[in-house]
Amino acid sequence: MILRLLICTLLLCGGALAADDAAVDAKARAIQGKILKIDMHVDIFVRQGARTTSGYAAALGDAFTQIAAVHKLAEETSPDKIGIGLTAADVRRIKAGGRKVAVVGVESAYPIGKDLRLLDQLYDYGARCMSLVHNGHSDMGDSSQPKKNEPPTEWNGLSPLGKEAVQRLNELGIIVDVSHASEKTALDMIAASKAPVLASHSNVAAVSASARNLSDAVLLGIGKSGGVAQLVALDDYVHAVPQEKTAAIAALAKDMGLEIGVFGPRDADKLPPEKLAVYTAKMAEINRTWPRANVRDLVDHVDYAVKKIGIDHVGISSSFNGGDGIDGWDRAEDLFGVTRELVRRGYTEEQIGKLWSGNFLRVMDDVQKYAANLKGPSR
Ligand SMILES: [Zn+2]
């Protein structure tokens, strides 16, 4: 289970770049200064463990502890710097006041186990976006990435409990997120949802084949639901990473005594300084031999999705804490390179605004309106 925090970072700075096209740069800078950029970070990880009562209980405890930390940050430690956005209007208001905005999202339903009543508690605690599945099948449905000891499918898509969960998320006004679900699970979630659906961090399978990327059918389903597919700056999903590179990274991890996760060595930042320096140099060498994806590769996914489902249904996200960046967008403040590439390809200011935040906020609004209508005028 991963708790996902969607931090809307409102950065006005651009990265350094080679000014090979001054007009594009100037236009991109002007746009960058005006639009609201939502950058979706995976800030908190609690991996899916045993699907047992005690496993769920431990995960639930973690989930609430982590959401509590967000509340503490926004309400006690740094209320002058960051606020929690419960609605799209909150996000715009907090941004207009010059602060950052946290929209609390829960990645995977593992912490609620089989108890859908906990969805209400998550909502009351501020969660406004939730996926049902992470790595490994869950009680809610099949994952796009089963664990090594698991069959390709357990439920043939969304489980009956998962279907009920989608309905409850709709009723509460929490956005249903299909990222990490298998294609069949995602299609089932889209079919079950009466409100627009989100893919918070996936790419386009037609551009780069990966189990984590969205098939045309899923893309079309998201568009038809009125939702948004947020394409992610995560190297492995932007382009295919050669096996030799994966092997070289695994060998490096072993040398350094690091455990290897889905996206490579874990906890490298906890190495002692001298070991970290060696690790960093060797990783740089590996990336020189097999270059990472870059912003042009990412925008290829954007172009494809926009052609397929329209500019109103595409967004961009990052996953710096749950994977890796790409060349040209390695840190939150490097967003400018992506905006610049969008300008270079002819996207307008209005379109770029939709990609960076407008579409996500519209979906947030629409999902909440759906729930409010169900609840009636008393709410
Ligand atoms: Zn993820």
Side-chain angles (χ1 to χ4, degrees):
M1 170 293 275
I2 287 177
L3 244 193
R4 164 171 279 252
L5 240 194
L6 318 176
I7 302 277
C8 314
T9 49
L10 311 167
L11 300 161
L12 299 179
C13 53
L17 64 147
D20 60 348
D21 186 337
V24 168
D25 288 357
K27 195 170 170 192
R29 279 190 196 286
I31 292 173
Q32 187 82 359
K34 278 190 256 178
I35 56 171
L36 165 60
K37 279 82 63 181
I38 296 190
D39 180 20
M40 303 170 73
H41 294 251
V42 178
D43 272 354
I44 303 164
F45 279 83
V46 182
R47 292 182 190 97
Q48 177 168 316
R51 285 159 61 186
T52 57
T53 307
S54 58
Y56 298 139
L60 186 66
D62 273 354
F64 278 110
T65 303
Q66 289 168 31
I67 302 179
V70 179
H71 281 278
K72 189 173 180 198
L73 182 70
E75 289 151 18
E76 293 173 33
T77 319
S78 304
D80 54 325
K81 295 195 183 78
I82 188 163
I84 294 178
L86 299 178
T87 65
D90 282 349
V91 172
R92 294 194 179 94
R93 174 181 53 77
I94 295 167
K95 183 257 178 181
R99 291 184 295 157
K100 290 185 179 182
V101 190
V103 177
V104 177
V106 181
E107 186 170 22
S108 159
Y110 176 62
I112 69 161
K114 297 176 186 175
D115 187 354
L116 298 185
R117 292 171 306 177
L118 292 168
L119 294 176
D120 294 53
Q121 290 188 24
L122 288 169
Y123 176 86
D124 290 342
Y125 219 19
R128 292 296 180 270
C129 176
M130 185 162 179
S131 65
L132 296 182
V133 182
H134 195 250
N135 297 332
H137 303 317
S138 79
D139 293 294
M140 302 288 168
D142 294 342
S143 169
S144 61
Q145 294 171 307
K147 296 200 170 177
K148 278 189 189 116
N149 56 350
E150 291 179 344
T153 117
E154 178 177 332
W155 301 99
N156 187 30
L158 192 64
S159 73
L161 184 71
K163 194 172 175 189
E164 280 182 54
V166 169
Q167 283 163 0
R168 190 63 196 145
L169 293 172
N170 282 170
E171 288 162 7
L172 288 166
I174 298 178
I175 304 170
V176 173
D177 177 2
V178 302
S179 281
H180 283 287
S182 73
E183 182 188 23
K184 179 66 167 56
T185 306
L187 290 172
D188 289 350
M189 288 169 82
I190 292 164
S193 180
K194 295 195 167 64
V197 163
L198 168 79
S200 62
H201 60 307
S202 296
N203 279 327
V204 173
V207 177
S208 182
S210 157
R212 273 284 284 107
N213 286 347
L214 308 167
S215 69
D216 283 358
V218 174
L219 266 182
L220 289 165
I222 290 170
K224 218 173 149 198
S225 80
V228 60
Q230 303 253 31
L231 308 176
V232 63
L234 202 155
D235 192 45
D236 298 56
Y237 305 159
V238 175
H239 71 171
V241 176
Q243 279 178 359
E244 296 88 340
K245 181 175 187 178
T246 308
I249 292 172
L252 174 59
K254 201 172 169 210
D255 267 5
M256 295 283 148
L258 296 171
E259 190 191 339
I260 193 122
V262 180
F263 299 115
R266 284 186 180 138
D267 298 329
D269 54 342
K270 292 182 186 139
L271 288 170
E274 65 281 6
K275 255 188 140 180
L276 180 60
V278 174
Y279 173 84
T280 306
K282 287 193 171 168
M283 192 57 101
E285 178 59 37
I286 289 172
N287 283 328
R288 271 194 296 279
T289 309
W290 299 281
R292 296 189 307 163
N294 57 42
V295 294
R296 292 184 301 281
D297 300 322
L298 173 67
V299 178
D300 287 347
H301 288 265
V302 175
D303 278 351
Y304 183 94
V306 166
K307 280 196 192 91
K308 199 83 189 165
I309 58 174
I311 187 75
D312 290 331
H313 303 290
V314 182
I316 303 172
S317 64
S318 73
S319 189
F320 294 125
N321 297 345
D324 196 3
I326 55 173
D327 272 356
W329 190 17
D330 241 339
R331 293 171 302 133
E333 55 267 41
D334 288 339
L335 293 176
F336 179 73
V338 181
T339 298
R340 184 175 176 282
E341 183 61 19
L342 292 167
V343 169
R344 202 181 67 75
R345 295 200 192 188
Y347 288 91
T348 65
E349 178 179 330
E350 188 196 357
Q351 292 173 325
I352 293 170
K354 287 179 176 183
L355 292 169
W356 275 128
S357 64
N359 292 335
F360 176 80
L361 294 178
R362 184 201 70 239
V363 168
M364 198 174 177
D365 254 342
D366 288 349
V367 166
Q368 294 185 5
K369 272 184 209 148
Y370 174 82
N373 284 338
L374 285 184
K375 286 166 190 160
S378 63
R379 185 176 163 80

